[in-house]
Amino acid sequence: MYIFIVNPASRSGHASQIWTEIETLLKERNILYRVYFTSHRGHGTKLAQQLTKDLSSRTTLIVVGGDGTVNEVLNGIEHPEHIILGYIPTGSGNDFAKGMALPSDPQKALELILSPNSYRTVDIGVLKYSEKDTEKIRKFAVSTGIGFDAAICHQALVSRLKVLLNRIHLGKLSYAFISLRELALHKPCRCRISFDNGTEVTFEKLHFAAVMNQPFEGGGFRFCPNAQNNDGKLDLCMIHDVSKIKLLFLMAIGLFGWHTSLKGVDTFRCKQVQIHTSAPMPVHADGESAFLQDAISVTCEQERLLMIAPQTT
Ligand SMILES: Nc1ncnc2c1ncn2[C@@H]1O[C@H](COP(=O)(O)OP(=O)(O)OP(=O)(O)O)[C@@H](O)[C@H]1O
């Protein structure tokens, strides 16, 4: 029995059509499955909680959606040791699928799940921040970040432009347009970053810090091109103390991972990091908003989830 959690709204509703095609294939082959559709933001977490809380044996749970849906499901899974995760990417960015080398074609992704020939364990990142004196915990599979990159994610979540561009299959371009708009509003901040090995760095003008579990975020930006999601570590890219024009330039070449040795860019690998900023900045986890924060802590949990995915090495 396969259990599917489908976000019919991902890629601005295109996922609904993709699910119809997948379901046709499942029925043609008499495959036993149950499907649950998300109906609103946060529903993926609730569904995953309900479906996994009483599990006592290995179950294949398949997410059909974008990075946001994977994130919601990840945050709801109660017994990761009993889950084999499958993923059919139907979002507009699909960074998690890229990092896992999954087929972008939904039918091929389904074939891989139905006839798995390899599995991979995936590290899970944990973001902590406080809200009204309560500690909030948000897990992530791809990345978390504070500053300009998170501001772009926040805007993408409510963007009409993304919806329009998704209709003509150019959804990824929306991030470029949103970046330009957000640049005008963006204010860098003083910040202090402390790593688990005792190293501490301070920057006068931090534009953003991306904490990555794997190489791609934001629809393909390779801010940490060497990040690996099974090494028990997180990779950080911090862009600081450069003009806004240079920030844009660094982001543009970040699409190819060519920015890392340039002035104004620092990278680091660690298991745990704490970031304090002089004023609240936007924070995201896998592109989903964690609102404005001035202090976050991020940790890597090693090899927490077993996933159907091709071996990359
Ligand atoms: N039925 C629904 N209607 C509207 N929004 C939904 C529904 N179900 C889930 N959501 C929300 O849709 C948002 C976007 O989902 P998701 O990230 O999977 O797709 P995407 O934005 O197209 O892909 P990507 O993140 O890869 O660009 C998530 O924040 C999720 O909470």
Side-chain angles (χ1 to χ4, degrees):
M1 168 75 80
Y2 295 93
I3 300 177
F4 289 84
I5 296 181
V6 179
N7 175 358
S10 64
R11 205 186 300 166
S12 308
H14 186 55
S16 178
Q17 191 187 324
I18 295 174
W19 170 251
T20 308
E21 290 163 17
I22 292 169
E23 192 162 44
T24 306
L25 289 172
L26 294 170
K27 285 182 175 159
E28 273 173 11
R29 297 193 201 174
N30 292 323
I31 288 166
L32 273 184
Y33 69 94
R34 274 189 282 148
V35 58
Y36 300 85
F37 296 98
T38 60
S39 62
H40 52 270
R41 187 177 298 279
H43 193 196
T45 302
K46 290 216 170 64
L47 284 174
Q49 256 162 1
Q50 285 160 8
L51 294 166
T52 61
K53 68 179 181 338
D54 297 324
L55 284 183
S56 54
S57 59
R58 281 267 186 210
T59 301
T60 306
L61 178 68
I62 300 144
V63 180
V64 182
D67 293 323
T69 312
V70 174
N71 183 275
E72 286 194 357
V73 170
L74 182 67
N75 277 280
I77 290 175
E78 296 229 332
H79 292 286
E81 70 280 12
H82 288 147
I83 294 293
I84 299 174
L85 192 72
Y87 178 41
I88 301 180
T90 64
S92 33
N94 295 331
D95 292 302
F96 182 59
K98 273 192 217 106
M100 295 301 298
L102 294 175
S104 56
D105 177 60
Q107 288 195 17
K108 288 191 181 140
L110 177 67
E111 291 302 339
L112 183 72
I113 290 161
L114 298 180
S115 313
N117 48 25
S118 63
Y119 298 86
R120 281 171 64 190
T121 43
V122 188
D123 295 339
I124 300 300
V126 180
L127 164 72
K128 291 184 186 164
Y129 55 95
S130 80
E131 209 174 81
K132 294 183 190 148
D133 293 332
T134 313
E135 186 181 66
K136 295 275 174 190
I137 295 180
R138 182 99 198 191
K139 295 179 182 174
F140 61 91
V142 173
S143 68
T144 183
I146 183 164
F148 186 57
D149 69 332
I152 297 168
C153 295
H154 284 200
Q155 194 52 37
L157 284 171
V158 294
S159 168
R160 292 271 315 136
L161 182 71
K162 187 175 171 190
V163 175
L164 292 173
L165 287 171
N166 267 335
R167 278 196 197 134
I168 52 171
H169 305 288
L170 291 174
K172 280 182 198 168
L173 258 189
S174 59
Y175 289 98
F177 288 117
I178 293 168
S179 306
L180 292 175
R181 180 190 176 277
E182 287 302 309
L183 193 67
L185 306 170
H186 165 67
K187 285 198 181 78
C189 266
R190 192 154 26 85
C191 86
R192 177 166 45 86
I193 304 183
S194 325
F195 299 98
D196 50 309
N197 68 355
T199 308
E200 196 166 287
V201 289
T202 54
F203 300 120
E204 272 313 302
K205 289 185 176 175
L206 177 80
H207 288 293
F208 71 86
V211 188
M212 317 261 308
N213 192 29
Q214 52 178 49
F216 305 96
E217 75 161 17
F221 289 95
R222 296 178 203 215
F223 292 131
C224 299
N226 300 319
Q228 287 177 7
N229 58 16
N230 59 358
D231 62 355
K233 302 244 168 75
L234 295 164
D235 282 37
L236 253 80
C237 171
M238 296 153 283
I239 299 198
H240 59 92
D241 300 291
V242 292
S243 67
K244 285 189 177 183
I245 296 294
K246 184 153 181 205
L247 167 64
L248 265 196
F249 168 72
L250 290 171
M251 290 187 75
I253 62 172
L255 275 169
F256 309 95
W258 294 341
H259 59 300
T260 52
S261 57
L262 298 186
K263 193 159 180 279
V265 182
D266 278 57
T267 55
F268 212 92
R269 183 166 287 162
C270 64
K271 198 164 172 52
Q272 214 237 327
V273 60
Q274 290 183 326
I275 304 177
H276 294 265
T277 55
S278 58
M281 290 181 113
V283 173
H284 81 93
D286 288 347
E288 300 297 296
S289 175
F291 310 102
L292 294 172
Q293 310 298 338
D294 59 9
I296 60 170
S297 150
V298 191
T299 316
C300 183
E301 282 183 15
Q302 192 167 11
E303 297 186 350
R304 285 301 312 277
L305 206 53
L306 187 66
M307 184 158 182
I308 301 168
Q311 290 292 346
T312 50
T313 48

